[in-house]
Amino acid sequence: MGIFEAANREFESSESGSDITDTPDELPMQNGEGMFPGDPASGLKTGLGNCVLPAAQGENKRTNACPDSSKAEEAAQIIQHFMEEFHMDLLTVTQAFLKNSGEVEATSYYLHAGQRLDGYPVWSREDDLELQKDDEDVRSKLIAKFGAENVARRVAFRKS
């Protein structure tokens, strides 16, 4: 799964000196407007449901270095589906998952609309660095920016 490491390295090395996140203009466009036709969750109606990539499932802690092959296969199928649906390369889709904590529904909507379904911004490398600090003021700012539930999900995602 070398592509995940490559996408993570690129995500970590992206330099954005501010809190500005990707906009629809920065995403590859299908119809020239930055939006995709149809229902934003249409890709999820093909059997993906409310899946989360295996790496984002905090309750499924790995006991060894090798991920369960069925979960890895499912993750690969979801990524392949998004690559085909959105006409994007593997790196772009993988980075979208990283920015959305591995959440399939949030990533699908993000790829459609350029923003998260819940209205919160996507995670940046700078946000992750702030999250690693053991400072209540910083944590409070992140909670104000992303919501308590999203911060908890991100912590679990980063640990997995």
Side-chain angles (χ1 to χ4, degrees), residues 36-131:
F36 293 86
D39 182 350
S42 63
L44 300 177
K45 294 178 184 173
T46 62
L48 299 178
N50 290 326
C51 299
V52 174
L53 285 181
Q57 295 175 344
E59 59 275 357
N60 292 340
K61 303 226 184 234
R62 291 187 217 170
T63 56
N64 59 32
C66 298
D68 181 38
S69 64
S70 65
K71 288 182 182 180
E73 186 175 308
E74 180 183 3
Q77 289 174 351
I78 292 169
I79 290 171
Q80 180 67 38
H81 172 79
F82 283 172
M83 287 171 59
E84 292 169 3
E85 180 180 354
F86 300 111
H87 306 286
M88 294 180 181
D89 61 78
L90 180 60
L91 186 61
T92 303
V93 172
T94 304
Q95 285 182 339
F97 272 105
L98 289 172
K99 292 176 182 182
N100 288 282
S101 301
E103 299 170 18
V104 173
E105 185 176 9
T107 301
S108 176
Y109 189 84
Y110 173 74
L111 290 172
H112 275 290
Q115 63 185 24
R116 284 182 51 98
L117 179 62
D118 60 12
Y120 289 106
V122 294
W123 288 86
S124 71
R125 177 65 181 149
E126 292 80 17
D127 297 323
D128 282 339
L129 292 173
E130 292 293 309
L131 188 61

Side-chain angles (χ1 to χ4, degrees), residues 7-40:
N8 195 32
R9 274 194 305 274
E10 181 149 334
F11 176 72
E12 289 175 357
S13 68
S14 65
E15 299 173 344
S16 76
S18 68
D19 286 338
I20 297 173
T21 58
D22 290 341
T23 63
D25 296 338
E26 294 170 340
L27 294 172
M29 292 183 267
Q30 182 175 1
N31 66 4
E33 299 172 6
M35 299 292 285
F36 293 86
D39 182 350

